[in-house]
């Protein structure tokens, strides 16, 4: 691998990310999968970096799940999106930051479509007025939340209490980065680093002291694929996708997977459990899995957040070996305590996955 | 004959011949005796092994055949014609025939006459215990002629012995000459002798000159005639009164011994095996294994004469000589598996070597048997052939097949033929029960690649008002012959079964085929009771002869190519020529009838490549174009396609020669 | 009077037309931007289809052009069109008053880095056709160390609208087959795969080398474009394509992947074209007066074109084009140019 | 092991790394024409057996190269060796011998 070659490509795919004043929109499924991630994001940006991030309880889903499952007309989706944008404008913001990759892709797609077909934009403008009495607006900058963390990666590194380093060996942790497909595969120019060698997560890992693993199936989808997962009969395809990725990264012995999409950490995490329990195969050390974390969780770890506050207990693959490697102190007894301090109860132990 | 000889003997009361050596033995006979004893024991054991390897039913059949008068007569005729007189070689190459018969018949006569002499003059010596094995051979050494008591009878034998010795010597002289200048005897290629062959060959060359030498040395003692006596005088003139003759008799005996000792390992084994082979062949027993049982007799009956070398169309290229039948048989004898397979697979199966073989060795059949040992085991699945039945398909096949009645039905056929074409089912086509045509035309796979044949045949049929059904208009299944040629007899049986069913269900009484490959297998393997199987050349010739089809003679110069499977394969040579004679002027090819050269496109060969096939096509064209015809006519789709391509790919004036199918020429 | 003719570009087209025009008695000035004459030909080792050494062909071209005033390391600084002639200022300080300008600016090899998914410049074991020719010339390349499995990806930057080129580069198929054979000759035990979309082996003897590659060298031809390349743990490449004949996706591990970079319009040529205000077509190559009847004439009078400046060409096509351009220049300078009175009328009628 | 009601789906991808070099070498030794197919499909189009069941020499050659040896044998098992394919092959491949050879080499375990 020639690092300079990748740097050259990265330099071709840089995007403008504004410095402050963001309108933040949450992800539907992240809030249930990894709710602490978004909270951590807001805490880091607001309290650690001192940025102005506004969010409103009035925003809705972007309609992406329905859209990709072919259950909603495109015009309806676009009107929902137009409403989101209008809310942003109503509150005096023009930098739209979304937490979800599906949304990000859909926003990019919608903005491009409006650009190509102004008559469609006009129609949506009308729809929006008719249905919500809101003024149509488009964001000046469309940013994914990971773009922001990428932008402030060095500031985060400056505030970090630890690095992505195995304290027992002194070696940097080997990290697999995995971007959501809709981050830059549809519009390579909209993502930091493009589609072929996306840099958004790589930049974070490099800044925080880890080592990137470039494995053959890095481009491959995590296996979410809306219709593949939603219909049980197709779920085998979803599983096989994930399996292919793990088989490919296995020889590199990664310590950690970092992702920037709602679905990816979930499927890369849960399917490891399914693969282990149905075939007996595990990919981490000594029968463990490979933790698949969100970028907020990784940022939180290096900045010294408590792992249970970061919600790492919601992962199926145990994170303890990783925490040990990074010398993160944690109280095993508190792992399954709720926010209110009540015991949520530990899940039943797995037969194969440690 | 013997009483007559005794009548002659009655004229001489005193013994004419005196047993010169009372013991009836001399050490010089040992080499011969050992050699010949070795040979006979070898052959004896071999014969028992061979007979044991023949299935019991065949053995009984063989034994019975010897007592069937008709077969017995044929056996006698064949033994004399094939083994002694070499009639088949005479017919093709007289000088070569003379050579072979001089050696074979001459030697045979010398042995017979030698024994008669012993029987007449010293009958006691015929007893094996008193030297019967060698005494008749060295008769002249052991006896002393009683001077003054010579009878006409003795002189008669002296004359005959000298005559046949001279006869043999002339053959030997030709044989030696042939080694160096074979072309004079009509052979372009001769076989490469093996080591044993060489030993036997050089011994054979030496035997008769040495016999002349030995007998001439003793001619003043034991008598002689026009050859030995003058030579004896010459020796006396040269060496004086006393001749030291022992070395000559030793040399003669050693050469004979060497020859017989080498014989089982050499081509000369054929001299004796041929007899057995002729008997087995005439008994109608076929080989079921390429080198055991009957096949063993067959391969040892090969005299390695090399006539198949020139016969083989592949040998237009010298590099292919090694694939000739004679070498195939040689390697079968030596059990050289690798080479056997290579050679077996290369052959075009044109059958010319078989047609020309003086002893009728069927090398193509042996090659097929060899291919079977390898290819029969290959797993194939023909279950799809049995899924169709006549009744299930009757409804939709009716339209597709298109029954044609006379000339008026033509449009019906074309109209309905196309209508359901798209519904061609994924099952073998079976004729409808309602088909009324008594004539069934089966084009075959290859004919479908030469649509002009189909078109012309149909045109002829319509012109002659033939009520026919086209069995495989939409394509059928293979006839099975290609599978047989590849040695896959069991697989072929399945294909044959499926086709047979289709034909029997058609209710036809005449089956017309345009492909000779199909014709051969339909005739030999299908056993279609009550159905006349004819080639379209025969059928069309009949139509012309009976006046049903009118043809016009254009005077075009035509040469007819005999397709291998039609000519040598089915013996059809005359009908196509008779019909073609009505539409044009037939000219001769330099090789025709059973000597016709394969077009090169044969399905028989498994391994021959395009380039080599091209060379064969060229040589076949050379033969066909010997008398400048305007048109080459053939009656096989494979030959047609091969020649068409060869002509269009060739350079010079040859490009202008037309290549046409038989039916195409007939319908003008 | 000897007319001055300026030839821009010292590759095969420029050299051949210079040689022809000099023979006709013109005063030929040839400029070449790089330090060496010969263009891409100078960097090539052997030429398809008969593997003729490139040096031999180039030597012949250079001998033919002996006596021509050649300025290497020289570019055009400015061009003024006078009444009929061109006043050309060169970067070496010389000014040429030229009666005709022949643009033989050739082509650039497609920059394979742009096909990011193939990883040229990122993966250790990916190289281009030009790199491989350099290896054949010098015998060294860090990427080539007894490779066991070698792939050739056809159509890199050709027939690829995303790479900015819809058309076929004409020479890559034959080059790939040639190089595949040469690699088999160098490494007889290697397995060689060619990934093609269509094998465009249109020229004389081209089909022969295809057959030779299959028959004698056992090169495997797979119909399907290389879609993506990745690097395995051991540094080997994982190549994915579809075998479109089998209708199935396919993967293979390779030790070396050679990208058949196609032809793109010359960047330097484009700059000169801009100075001359020469029109270019959608594909980026210079427009000609008529693609069939006048393919060596630019729409601008007095400006001629030869070789790959007007689209991908094989070497023999380039040389024939160069000779044709020389004839066109000669016709212009004898029939149209000298007639000062009717010049404009003649240009209208005969250009 | 737990049954989740779904599981890994076998890949249809061709893996050229599984290509059996030794067997192919054996095949090419007895029938070098195996190498020169250009996948035109003439053989499949005229196939006598192909009218009834799927039969394709073109595919069989492809399958061997794509490390699907068993599938290659399957594509040929209905062949009647009639030889039509050899007549139409533009490269002059000795198709009948190739079919027999593929069977010989690849059905031997």
């Amino acid at each position: 691998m020639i690092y300079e070659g990748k740097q050259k490509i990265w330099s071709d795919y840089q995007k403008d990310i504004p410095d402050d004043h963001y309108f933040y929109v949450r992800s539907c499924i992240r809030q249930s999968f990894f709710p602490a991630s978004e909270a951590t994001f807001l805490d880091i940006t607001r309290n650690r970096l001192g940025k102005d991030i506004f969010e409103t309880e009035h925003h809705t889903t972007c309609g992406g799940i329905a859209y990709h499952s072919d259950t909603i007309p495109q015009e309806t989706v676009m009107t929902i999106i137009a409403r989101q944008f209008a809310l942003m404008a109503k509150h005096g913001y023009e930098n739209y930051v979304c937490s979800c990759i599906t949304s990000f892709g859909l926003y990019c797609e919608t903005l491009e479509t409006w650009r190509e077909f102004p008559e469609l934009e006009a129609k949506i403008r009308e729809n929006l007025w008719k249905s919500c009495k809101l003024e149509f607006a488009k964001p000046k900058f469309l940013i994914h939340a990971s773009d922001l963390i990428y932008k402030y990666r060095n500031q985060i590194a400056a505030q970090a209490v630890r690095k992505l380093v195995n304290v027992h060996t002194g070696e940097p942790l080997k990290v697999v980065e995995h971007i959501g497909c809709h981050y830059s595969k549809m519009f390579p120019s909209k993502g930091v680093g493009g589609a072929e060698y996306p840099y958004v997560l790589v930049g974070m890992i490099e800044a925080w002291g880890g080592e990137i693993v470039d494995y053959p199936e890095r481009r491959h989808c995590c296996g979410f694929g809306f219709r593949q997962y939603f219909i049980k009969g197709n779920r085998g395809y979803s599983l096989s996708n994930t399996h292919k990725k793990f088989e490919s990264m296995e020889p590199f012995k990664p310590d950690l997977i970092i992702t920037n999409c709602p679905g990816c950490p979930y499927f890369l995490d849960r399917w490891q459990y399914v693969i282990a329990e149905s075939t007996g195969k595990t990919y981490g050390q000594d029968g463990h899995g490979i933790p698949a974390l969100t970028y907020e969780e990784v940022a939180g770890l290096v900045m010294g957040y408590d792992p249970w506050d970061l919600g790492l207990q919601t992962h199926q693959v145990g994170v303890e070996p990783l925490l040990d490697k990074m010398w993160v102190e944690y109280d095993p007894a508190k792992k399954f305590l709720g926010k209110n301090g009540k015991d949520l109860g530990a899940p039943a132990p797995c037969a194969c996955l440690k | 004959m013997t009483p007559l000889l005794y009548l002659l003997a009655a004229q001489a009361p005193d013994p004419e011949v005196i047993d010169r050596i009372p013991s009836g033995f001399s050490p010089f006979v040992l080499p011969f005796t050992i050699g010949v004893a070795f040979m006979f024991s070898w052959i004896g054991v071999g014969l028992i092994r061979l007979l044991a390897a023949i299935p019991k039913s065949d053995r009984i059949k063989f034994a019975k055949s010897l007592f069937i008068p008709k077969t017995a007569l044929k056996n006698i005729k064949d033994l004399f014609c094939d083994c002694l007189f070499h009639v088949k070689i005479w017919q093709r190459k007289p000088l070569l025939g003379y050579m072979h018969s001089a050696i074979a018949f001459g030697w045979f006569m010398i042995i017979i006459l030698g024994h008669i002499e012993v029987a007449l003059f010293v009958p006691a010596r015929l007893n094996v215990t008193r030297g019967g094995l060698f005494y008749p051979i060295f008769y002249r050494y052991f006896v002393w002629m009683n001077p003054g008591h010579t009878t006409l009878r003795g002189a008669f034998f002296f004359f005959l012995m000298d005559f046949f010795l001279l006869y043999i010597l002339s053959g030997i002289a030709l044989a030696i000459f042939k080694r160096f200048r074979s072309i004079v005897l009509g052979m372009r290629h001769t076989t490469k002798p093996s080591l044993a062959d060489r030993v036997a060959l050089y011994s054979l060359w030496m035997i008769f000159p040495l016999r002349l030498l030995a007998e001439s040395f003793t001619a003043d003692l034991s008598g002689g005639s026009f050859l030995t006596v003058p030579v004896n005088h010459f020796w006396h003139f040269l060496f004086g009164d006393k001749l030291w003759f022992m070395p000559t008799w030793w040399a003669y005996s050693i050469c004979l011994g060497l020859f017989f000792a080498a014989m089982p390992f050499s081509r000369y084994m054929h001299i004796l095996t041929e007899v057995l082979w002729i008997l087995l062949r005439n008994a109608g027993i076929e080989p079921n294994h390429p080198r055991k049982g009957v096949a063993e007799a067959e391969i040892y009956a090969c005299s390695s004469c090399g006539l198949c070398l020139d016969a083989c169309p592949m040998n237009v290229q010298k590099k292919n000589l090694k694939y000739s039948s004679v070498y195939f048989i040689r390697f079968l004898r030596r059990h050289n598996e690798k080479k056997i397979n290579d050679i077996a697979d290369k052959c075009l199966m044109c059958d010319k070597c078989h047609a020309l073989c003086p002893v009728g060795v069927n090398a193509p059949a042996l090659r097929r048997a060899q291919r079977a040992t390898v290819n029969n085991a290959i797993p194939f699945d023909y279950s799809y052939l049995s899924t169709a039945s006549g009744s299930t398909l009757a409804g939709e096949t009716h339209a597709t097949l298109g029954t044609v009645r006379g000339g008026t039905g033509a449009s019906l056929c074309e109209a309905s033929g196309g209508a359901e074409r798209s519904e061609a089912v994924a099952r073998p086509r079976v004729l409808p029960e309602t088909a009324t045509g008594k004539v069934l035309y089966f084009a075959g796979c290859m004919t479908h690649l030469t649509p002009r044949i189909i078109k012309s045949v149909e045109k002829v049929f319509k012109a002659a008002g033939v009520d026919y059904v086209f069995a495989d208009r939409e394509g059928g299944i293979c006839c099975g012959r290609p599978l047989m040629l590849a040695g896959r007899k069991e697989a072929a049986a399945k294909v044959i079964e499926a086709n047979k069913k289709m034909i029997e269900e058609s209710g036809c009484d005449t089956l017309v085929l345009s492909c000779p490959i199909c014709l051969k297998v339909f005739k030999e393997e299908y056993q279609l009771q009550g159905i006349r199987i004819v080639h379209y050349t025969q059928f069309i010739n009949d139509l012309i002869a009976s006046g049903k089809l009118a043809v016009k003679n254009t005077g075009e110069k035509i040469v007819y190519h005999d397709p291998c499977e039609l000519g040598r394969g089915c013996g059809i040579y005359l009908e196509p020529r008779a019909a073609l004679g009505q539409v044009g002027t037939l000219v001769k090819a330099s090789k025709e009838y059973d000597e016709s050269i394969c077009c090169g496109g044969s399905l028989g060969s498994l391994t021959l490549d395009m380039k080599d096939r091209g060379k064969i096509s060229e040589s076949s064209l050379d033969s066909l174009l010997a008398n400048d015809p305007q048109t080459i006519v053939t009656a096989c789709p494979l030959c047609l396609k091969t020649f068409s391509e060869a002509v269009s790919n060739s350079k010079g004036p040859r490009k202008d020669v037309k290549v046409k199918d038989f039916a195409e020429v007939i319908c003008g | 009077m000897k007319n001055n003719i300026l030839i821009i570009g010292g590759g095969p087209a420029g050299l051949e037309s210079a040689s022809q025009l000099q023979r006709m008695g013109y005063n030929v000035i040839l400029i070449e931007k790089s330090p060496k004459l010969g263009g891409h030909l100078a960097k090539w080792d052997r030429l398809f289809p008969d593997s003729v050494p490139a040096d031999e062909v180039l030597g012949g071209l250079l001998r033919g052009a002996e006596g021509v005033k050649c300025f290497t390391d020289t570019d055009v600084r400015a061009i003024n069109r006078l009444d009929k002639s061109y006043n050309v200022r060169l970067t070496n300080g010389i000014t040429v008053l030229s009666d005709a300008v022949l643009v033989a600016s050739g082509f650039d090899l497609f920059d394979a880095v742009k096909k990011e998914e193939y990883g040229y410049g990122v993966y250790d074991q990916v190289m281009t056709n030009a790199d491989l020719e350099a290896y054949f010339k010098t015998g060294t390349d860090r990427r080539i160390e007894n490779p066991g499995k070698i792939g050739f990806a056809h159509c890199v930057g050709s027939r690829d609208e995303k790479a900015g080129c819809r058309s076929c580069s004409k020479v890559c198929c034959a080059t790939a087959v040639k190089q595949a054979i040469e690699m088999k000759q160098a490494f007889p035990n290697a397995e060689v795969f060619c990934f093609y979309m269509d094998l465009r082996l249109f020229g004389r003897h081209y089909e022969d080398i295809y057959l030779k590659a299959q028959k004698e060298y056992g090169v495997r031809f797979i119909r399907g474009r290389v879609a993506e390349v990745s690097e395995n743990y051991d540094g080997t490449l994982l190549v994915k394509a579809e075998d479109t004949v089998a209708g199935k996706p396919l993967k293979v591990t390779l030790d070396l992947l050679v990208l058949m970079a196609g032809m793109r319009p010359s960047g330097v040529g484009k700059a000169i074209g801009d100075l001359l205000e020469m029109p270019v077509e959608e594909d980026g190559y210079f427009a000609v007066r008529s693609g069939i009847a006048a393919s060596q004439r630019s729409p601008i009078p007095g400006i001629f074109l030869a070789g790959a400046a007007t689209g991908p060409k094989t070497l023999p096509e380039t040389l024939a084009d160069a000779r044709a351009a020389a004839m066109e220049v000669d016709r212009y300078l004898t029939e149209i140019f000298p007639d000062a009175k009717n010049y404009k009328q003649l240009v209208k009628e005969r250009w | 092991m737990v049954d989740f009601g779904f599981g890994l789906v076998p890949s249809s991808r061709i893996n050229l790394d599984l290509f059996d070099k030794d067997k192919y070498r054996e095949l090419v030794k007895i029938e070098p024409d195996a190498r020169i197919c250009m996948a035109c499909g003439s053989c499949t189009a005229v196939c006598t057996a192909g009218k009834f069941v799927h039969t394709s020499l073109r595919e069989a050659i492809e399958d061997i190269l794509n490390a699907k040896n068993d599938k290659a044998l399957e594509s040929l098992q209905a062949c009647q060796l009639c030889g039509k394919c050899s007549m139409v092959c533009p490269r002059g491949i000795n198709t009948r011998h190739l079919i027999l050879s593929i069977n010989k080499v690849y059905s031997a375990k």
Side-chain angles (χ1 to χ4, degrees), chain A residues 1-2 13 216-219, chain C residues 116 122-124 229-230 240:
Chain A
M1 195 72 69
I2 306 161
Y13 292 100
E217 297 292 0
R218 64 187 152 76
R219 302 174 182 91
Chain C
E116 286 167 10
V122 177
Y123 303 140
D124 292 317
V229 183
S230 329
K240 290 187 189 172

Side-chain angles (χ1 to χ4, degrees), chain B residues 643-659:
Chain B
F643 281 135
S644 301
E645 281 163 14
V647 164
S648 68
N649 290 338
S650 61
K651 296 170 190 87
R654 193 168 273 195
K655 254 189 145 71
D656 302 330
V657 176
K658 283 174 277 183
V659 179

Side-chain angles (χ1 to χ4, degrees), chain D residues 29-72:
Chain D
K29 205 172 153 201
I30 57 174
E31 187 43 76
D33 284 358
R35 281 176 157 184
I36 60 171
C37 170
M38 49 183 183
C40 74
S42 302
C43 50
T44 314
V46 295
C47 181
T48 297
K51 214 167 123 51
F52 309 109
V53 281
H54 181 81
T55 308
S56 172
L57 176 58
R58 197 263 304 151
E59 266 180 35
I61 296 169
E62 188 84 14
D63 287 337
I64 287 169
L65 293 171
N66 286 342
K68 296 188 185 284
N69 298 348
D70 290 343
K71 224 178 133 243

Side-chain angles (χ1 to χ4, degrees), chain B residues 58-286:
Chain B
D58 279 353
R59 266 205 307 273
I60 295 166
K61 192 174 166 191
F62 175 55
K64 276 184 186 164
S65 81
L66 297 176
F67 300 101
I68 300 168
K70 203 178 150 194
T71 319
L73 274 174
K74 185 166 165 44
N75 280 343
I76 291 164
K77 181 185 147 256
D78 282 359
L79 286 175
F80 271 90
C81 291
D82 290 357
C83 301
L84 296 178
F85 301 129
H86 292 90
V87 173
K88 281 185 185 158
I89 308 180
W90 273 97
Q91 284 168 346
R92 292 183 197 273
K93 305 202 163 114
L95 206 54
L96 197 64
Y98 174 80
M99 183 196 99
H100 279 94
S101 65
I103 300 171
F105 182 59
W107 197 356
F108 175 74
M109 284 312 288
I110 277 188
I111 295 167
I112 295 294
L113 288 170
H115 281 77
I116 291 173
E117 276 188 313
V118 176
L120 282 182
F121 302 113
V122 272
R125 291 293 180 194
L126 276 182
N127 190 333
V128 180
T129 53
R130 300 194 59 195
L133 198 60
F134 54 82
Y135 196 91
I137 308 300
F138 304 112
Y139 173 66
R140 285 280 189 279
Y141 173 83
F142 287 111
V143 296
W144 181 53
M145 193 180 55
N146 197 354
H149 288 82
T150 316
T151 62
L152 189 58
R153 183 177 69 162
F156 176 67
F157 279 104
F158 288 142
F159 173 78
L160 279 184
M161 290 302 264
D162 270 17
F163 172 78
F164 281 109
L165 185 57
L166 185 64
Y167 181 40
I168 297 170
L169 284 171
S170 68
I172 295 285
L174 276 173
I176 295 170
F177 185 66
K178 172 182 151 243
R179 267 294 127 197
F180 304 105
R181 291 291 306 277
S182 62
I183 194 74
V184 179
L185 282 89
M187 286 181 78
R188 281 164 15 110
H189 300 109
T190 53
T191 43
K192 264 204 341 241
S194 64
L195 180 68
D197 281 347
R198 279 177 200 278
V199 172
L201 176 73
Y202 298 138
S203 318
L204 182 64
W205 283 358
M206 295 301 291
I207 286 170
F208 296 98
L210 284 171
R211 184 185 168 108
L212 173 65
L213 201 66
E215 288 194 346
S216 68
F217 264 82
T218 51
D220 49 348
L221 297 174
S222 53
S225 185
F226 66 92
L227 188 64
T228 39
V229 171
V231 179
N232 179 268
H233 291 318
F234 176 71
W235 298 136
H236 278 290
F237 166 76
L238 215 62
F239 301 118
D241 271 358
K242 246 188 140 27
L243 287 177
W244 195 44
F245 53 72
M246 275 318 282
T248 63
W249 285 98
W250 267 100
Y252 176 45
S253 170
I254 288 168
C255 268
L256 277 170
L258 267 178
F259 177 76
F260 287 117
M263 196 165 135
F265 314 105
S266 78
R267 52 198 258 185
Y268 299 98
M269 190 63 182
H270 82 93
I271 297 171
L272 294 169
T273 322
E274 216 177 312
V275 176
L276 178 65
W277 162 236
I278 287 172
L279 299 180
L280 285 166
R281 187 183 76 193
N282 289 347
I285 300 169
E286 277 178 16

Side-chain angles (χ1 to χ4, degrees), chain B residues 289-309:
Chain B
H289 187 279
R291 73 205 72 152
K292 285 186 192 147
V294 186
E296 194 168 9
E298 193 169 359
I299 60 179
Y300 279 98
C302 167
S303 67
S304 254
C305 69
L307 281 176
C308 51
L309 292 173

Side-chain angles (χ1 to χ4, degrees), chain A residues 64-342:
Chain A
I65 294 175
Y67 177 62
H68 290 296
S69 306
D70 277 354
T71 55
I72 187 172
Q74 193 183 25
E75 276 180 28
T76 312
V77 170
M78 284 183 167
T79 311
I80 295 172
I81 290 168
R83 182 178 168 276
Q84 312 272 71
F85 291 162
L87 286 176
M88 168 194 74
K90 194 178 146 192
H91 291 98
Y93 286 85
E94 52 186 10
N95 303 328
Y96 193 95
V97 178
C98 59
S99 165
C100 174
I101 290 286
T102 305
S103 306
F104 181 75
L106 191 54
Y107 294 145
C108 288
E109 192 183 333
T110 303
L111 290 170
E112 282 297 307
T113 311
W114 288 345
R115 196 174 60 76
E116 286 273 344
F117 305 97
E119 69 282 3
L120 192 58
E121 186 186 309
K123 189 157 186 218
I124 301 300
R125 186 186 294 264
E126 199 188 317
N127 285 354
L128 180 67
W129 183 252
K130 275 187 194 160
S131 56
C132 309
K133 297 285 177 293
L134 279 169
E135 203 66 58
F136 183 86
K138 285 197 273 188
K140 191 174 175 195
F141 291 98
L142 178 67
I143 307 144
H144 185 252
S146 63
D147 293 339
L148 269 193
I149 299 294
Y150 164 77
K151 184 178 169 77
Y152 298 116
R153 65 193 186 280
N154 293 324
Q155 274 160 267
I156 291 169
Q159 297 183 27
V161 300
R162 61 175 72 86
K163 287 187 155 193
L164 292 175
V165 169
N166 184 334
V167 293
H168 307 293
T169 62
E171 296 286 319
L173 291 178
K174 288 190 198 141
V175 185
V176 158
E177 57 85 24
H178 177 86
I179 60 152
C181 294
H182 294 190
Y183 173 68
S184 64
K185 283 182 195 162
M186 294 192 292
F187 300 97
S189 62
K190 307 282 184 204
V192 177
E196 199 54 37
Y197 307 98
Y199 191 59
V200 60
L201 298 173
V202 175
M204 297 178 203
I205 300 308
E206 283 183 346
W208 303 338
E211 183 192 312
I212 279 298
V213 164
D214 219 336
Y215 63 110
E217 297 292 0
R218 64 187 152 76
R219 302 174 182 91
H220 218 73
C221 170
C222 66
F224 185 1
F226 297 85
R227 272 177 283 191
Q228 280 68 21
Y229 176 69
F230 289 148
I231 298 162
K232 192 179 175 187
N234 291 345
R235 223 163 272 172
Y237 293 101
S238 173
L239 185 70
S240 304
N241 250 308
T242 312
H243 177 252
K244 182 186 252 181
K245 284 185 79 73
F246 278 104
E247 287 290 314
S248 176
M249 71 175 79
E250 190 184 14
F252 296 85
K253 298 194 172 69
D255 297 301
L256 163 69
I257 300 169
I258 178 170
T259 62
N260 72 344
C261 177
C264 306
Y266 188 76
F267 283 90
L268 293 174
D269 181 66
R270 302 301 198 267
W271 280 162
Q272 281 194 76
Y273 158 74
V274 173
I275 292 168
E277 298 308 302
S278 61
T279 72
K281 177 93 189 248
T282 52
Y283 295 94
Q285 280 170 346
D286 314 321
H288 288 93
I290 305 170
L293 307 184
T294 68
Y295 57 94
E296 294 103 326
E297 288 167 345
V298 178
L301 278 179
V302 297
M303 292 180 91
Y305 284 69
D306 182 89
W308 308 144
D309 287 346
L310 290 172
L312 298 190
Q313 65 275 53
T314 60
H315 290 264
Q316 183 83 50
V317 173
V319 292
E320 285 84 350
L322 174 71
L323 299 179
D324 292 340
K325 277 184 219 167
M326 291 175 68
W327 204 260
V328 178
E329 287 177 18
Y330 60 93
D331 184 354
K334 289 184 177 166
K335 185 172 180 182
F336 296 109
L337 293 186
K339 275 278 180 196
N340 53 8
K342 275 189 184 166

